[in-house]
Amino acid sequence: MELKRFLSIPVCSVFLLMGFVYYITVFIFIEDWVGLQSSAGTLNAMIFTFMASLCLFSFLVCVLTEPGYVPSPYVPDVEGAAVPPHQEPLNNSSQLRRCDKCVTYKPPRAHHCRVCRRCVLRMDHHCLWINNCVGYWNYKAFFILVLYATIASIYSSVMIISCASQKNWNFSGRIPMKIFFVVSGAMMFGLSITFGTLLGWHIYLMSCNMTTIENYEGIRAAWLARKSGHSYRHPFNLSVYKNITSVSLSLSLYLCIHLFFALLIP
């Protein structure tokens, strides 16, 4: 079932984009800049190959991992819903929510995805490019993917700039090459800005212990609270330190696993 997610034009487009960026960065710009046979070229090629492998692995995890669907027979245990001090606060009103489309109970922070046609635990959004929801079980992989993609895009941009800066562009016989450099540089600069902005957005959400959906819901809730003369605070916001550490510790473990498997690849 999960393999069918690869039968999607956006997912195939991501594979093509990864392959294209890897090819031009390693076999065109690094080769033209210092040469792949040199120690500097080999080192830069190995670094970028390592980052590209991590991006690919994270992307596959995002596509194949279930986001965390709410089982259809789920019924909240309201009487036994005692919450330990270190966990997020819950209340009975949030536990007794029902989904009009699934006709079943929804746990706190779960939302219905119109594309997947199911309720997803701690749903952030449905991502077209992974043909999957970003939810409880694959959010860490999604965040790591955005982090690796940002670093790889910036690294590729630096390689393009380094290669272009040492060229002699005075003669007019290399106009196609100039166009290729300009288009490639603009593409990588755009990708760096896009991924960097997305990374900053999710760092902000992580610091507030929010999802994208909850952020938009919070904007409306804050407006209604101000209109009635009250103040609004996100109910799952423990503190910036606790919010970040609650995710960063598991992210650190996740990153170590990624690095371990990546180092096993010859």
Side-chain angles (χ1 to χ4, degrees):
M1 180 62 182
E2 291 81 3
L3 295 177
K4 293 182 178 179
R5 298 194 183 116
F6 290 106
L7 303 178
S8 167
I9 294 178
V11 173
C12 294
S13 301
V14 173
F15 281 119
L16 291 175
L17 180 62
M18 285 184 178
F20 177 74
V21 170
Y22 179 79
Y23 178 81
I24 64 172
T25 302
V26 175
F27 297 103
I28 295 181
F29 297 119
I30 296 181
E31 169 68 24
D32 196 31
W33 177 34
V34 290
L36 291 176
Q37 302 302 323
S38 64
S39 57
T42 302
L43 178 62
N44 281 285
M46 289 178 61
I47 292 175
F48 191 77
T49 301
F50 179 69
M51 290 189 295
S53 301
L54 293 177
C55 283
L56 179 60
F57 181 70
S58 300
F59 179 72
L60 294 176
V61 173
C62 286
V63 175
L64 295 174
T65 303
E66 294 285 355
Y69 294 119
V70 179
S72 54
Y74 167 77
V75 177
D77 184 12
V78 179
E79 295 182 357
V83 180
H86 64 278
Q87 293 186 1
E88 297 169 344
L90 303 175
N91 54 65
N92 290 348
S93 60
S94 64
Q95 287 182 333
L96 294 177
R97 296 185 309 159
R98 291 187 68 97
C99 178
D100 297 331
K101 299 179 178 62
C102 295
V103 195
T104 184
Y105 289 103
K106 286 198 299 185
R109 313 188 77 176
H111 294 274
H112 185 85
C113 177
R114 290 176 294 179
V115 180
C116 298
R117 298 180 181 180
R118 294 185 65 178
C119 288
V120 179
L121 296 171
R122 203 181 184 276
M123 178 180 174
D124 188 87
H125 68 286
H126 184 91
C127 183
L128 178 70
W129 302 106
I130 64 174
N131 197 21
N132 195 8
C133 277
V134 178
Y136 181 82
W137 289 113
N138 64 349
Y139 180 78
K140 297 179 182 64
F142 177 79
F143 182 86
I144 291 293
L145 170 63
V146 175
L147 175 63
Y148 290 151
T150 302
I151 299 174
S153 299
I154 295 175
Y155 196 93
S156 178
S157 300
V158 172
M159 294 298 101
I160 295 175
I161 295 173
S162 301
C163 181
S165 62
Q166 55 92 34
K167 280 187 170 295
N168 183 8
W169 301 101
N170 294 330
F171 52 94
S172 59
R174 306 184 69 176
I175 293 180
M177 181 62 69
K178 291 181 180 179
I179 296 176
F180 177 74
F181 267 78
V182 170
V183 172
S184 300
M187 181 188 70
M188 295 313 304
F189 179 76
L191 287 175
S192 300
I193 295 297
T194 301
F195 287 124
T197 303
L198 186 61
L199 177 63
W201 169 248
H202 280 278
I203 290 176
Y204 163 74
L205 292 178
M206 189 187 304
S207 66
C208 299
N209 198 6
M210 285 194 299
T211 64
T212 301
I213 295 177
E214 291 171 348
N215 178 75
Y216 292 119
E217 291 178 343
I219 293 175
R220 175 173 173 78
W223 177 77
L224 293 175
R226 288 194 303 268
K227 190 176 180 181
S228 59
H230 298 85
S231 60
Y232 171 79
R233 183 179 182 273
H234 182 55
F236 300 99
N237 187 1
L238 305 176
S239 69
V240 175
Y241 176 76
K242 290 182 179 179
N243 294 338
I244 293 178
T245 53
S246 64
V247 180
S248 61
L249 291 177
S250 54
L251 278 177
S252 300
L253 177 61
Y254 196 82
L255 178 60
C256 291
I257 295 175
H258 272 220
L259 295 176
F260 174 76
F261 282 104
L263 291 174
L264 293 180
I265 301 175

